[in-house]
Amino acid sequence: MELVPARQLALNLMAEHGLSWNFGWDRAKKRAGQTNFTTRTITLSKHLTQLCTEEQVRHTILHEIAHAHVGHGHGHGPVWQAKAKELGTSPRRCTGPDFPVADAPWQGTCSAGHVHARYRRPKRPLSCGRCSRTFSEKHLLTWNYVPLTKQTEKQAAEETEVPQDALF
């Protein structure tokens, strides 16, 4: 989903459900949204929002609104689940096997050819979890940086073209 319509959707849903908090974007690559109780802010991942459908973004926003309504101490427990259902969304995590994944530039390959992706270069040696359940020097991963593709570069350029007033 495009960022400007996603921002408007978030603001509309927050107003519709009586939440007068702030909205913003973050740079997360593994989680779709976050509720910050200290700053009273709901944020969405810029990277994942652009890969998601409108329905997935709506679900994420309502998920975070439910967190904001029930308060800090409830996590994903029964109180939060009831609120999520009341708001019309599933009381489950937003991400999963069918959820888009942001490309990770670090690719680790083991001797058997299994590939593992990371967003940051690992600082210590890692071994392949598919080849051995415990650390094994025999199955060490060799890390390579895979530069952005032309399509990813285009998306990155488009991210910077979003009007400043639409970002926060």
Side-chain angles (χ1 to χ4, degrees):
M1 181 174 188
E2 301 273 335
L3 294 180
V4 173
R7 177 184 183 275
Q8 195 57 53
L9 176 62
L11 294 173
N12 290 346
L13 287 171
M14 289 165 68
E16 179 183 329
H17 295 289
L19 191 65
S20 57
W21 282 30
N22 300 312
F23 173 78
W25 299 107
D26 61 44
R27 300 170 85 184
K29 304 259 173 67
K30 292 186 177 185
R31 62 164 170 72
Q34 179 179 9
T35 304
N36 185 319
F37 293 94
T38 304
T39 62
R40 297 173 57 91
T41 303
I42 288 178
T43 61
L44 295 179
S45 163
K46 280 176 86 173
H47 302 287
L48 293 179
T49 297
Q50 291 179 312
L51 299 174
C52 290
T53 65
E54 182 175 344
E55 187 58 35
Q56 290 169 319
V57 173
R58 175 183 299 278
H59 173 61
T60 301
I61 295 165
L62 290 173
H63 178 110
E64 300 307 330
I65 290 172
H67 280 299
H69 275 299
V70 300
H72 186 279
H74 295 287
H76 293 110
V79 173
W80 175 83
Q81 290 176 12
K83 188 62 171 181
K85 286 179 187 175
E86 179 186 320
L87 294 175
T89 191
S90 170
R92 297 185 183 142
R93 67 182 291 166
C94 298
T95 58
D98 60 338
F99 202 80
V101 177
D103 290 335
W106 287 98
Q107 303 278 325
T109 309
C110 73
S111 57
H114 299 129
V115 178
H116 303 267
R118 296 288 186 272
Y119 296 101
R120 295 185 186 122
R121 182 179 181 156
K123 295 184 181 195
R124 58 188 172 88
L126 296 176
S127 65
C128 180
R130 293 183 191 151
C131 293
S132 175
R133 294 183 146 262
T134 61
F135 180 82
S136 168
E137 287 191 27
K138 181 179 173 184
H139 303 290
L140 281 177
L141 298 176
T142 303
W143 293 97
N144 293 306
Y145 182 78
V146 180
L148 296 172
T149 64
K150 293 294 179 190
Q151 179 62 28
T152 309
E153 287 174 2
K154 181 182 174 191
Q155 288 174 345
E158 289 172 356
E159 278 185 22
T160 60
E161 294 174 14
V162 175
Q164 286 297 321
D165 63 332
L167 294 178
F168 293 98

